[in-house]
Amino acid sequence: MKRIEAFIRVNRLETVKQALEDVGIYGLSCEQVRGYGRQLGHTDKYRGSTYAVNLLPKMRLEVVVKDDDLETAIEAIVKASQTGEIGDGKIFISDVEDAVRIRTGERGEEALS
């Protein structure tokens, strides 16, 4: 099993969620976070003063998938969140040793479906 951690634009959350559902991947966690990469933030004016906004709002998605579904999930996230501009985000993949469904006690990949 693999854990996908994706940092995407806030306004792409629903598109990515739908894209994952369309390829048969259900269940994700998300939270709004702040950060920056190559964008290095931007400057804004407020009441005549210019100030730097270094930490930009992003969504952090976490999805655990079967090994066989990894490439499908990555492709769906990339297609749904890609705008072609700096700041589209990043995807990180890591191994998951085990999973347990609390209600039934199922373990491993059976706990994911």
Side-chain angles (χ1 to χ4, degrees):
M1 294 175 292
K2 303 289 185 194
R3 179 174 65 102
I4 301 170
E5 187 176 16
F7 292 86
I8 63 169
R9 295 176 186 266
V10 173
N11 64 343
R12 303 304 259 178
L13 174 61
E14 288 302 318
T15 308
V16 170
K17 183 176 165 251
Q18 187 62 53
L20 288 169
E21 289 176 4
D22 289 346
V23 295
I25 296 172
Y26 301 95
L28 64 83
S29 297
C30 66
E31 65 182 327
Q32 192 163 8
V33 297
R34 299 177 67 79
Y36 72 93
R38 284 190 182 168
Q39 278 177 296
L40 300 176
H42 62 276
T43 57
D44 272 342
K45 281 193 172 189
Y46 181 72
R47 295 188 178 178
S49 297
T50 301
Y51 63 96
V53 179
N54 293 328
L55 298 175
L56 301 172
K58 299 289 180 185
M59 291 301 294
R60 183 173 77 80
L61 306 179
E62 199 170 302
V63 183
V64 178
V65 297
K66 299 175 184 177
D67 289 334
D68 296 341
D69 294 335
L70 178 63
E71 290 305 318
T72 303
I74 292 170
E75 187 177 306
I77 293 168
V78 168
K79 282 184 179 177
S81 60
Q82 191 173 56
T83 67
E85 298 175 12
I86 291 176
D88 279 350
K90 292 245 182 353
I91 298 174
F92 300 97
I93 297 115
S94 56
D95 290 321
V96 174
E97 291 185 30
D98 201 2
V100 179
R101 184 186 311 267
I102 294 173
R103 179 177 53 86
T104 62
E106 292 171 293
R107 295 188 75 134
E109 290 187 355
E110 290 80 34
L112 297 182
S113 50

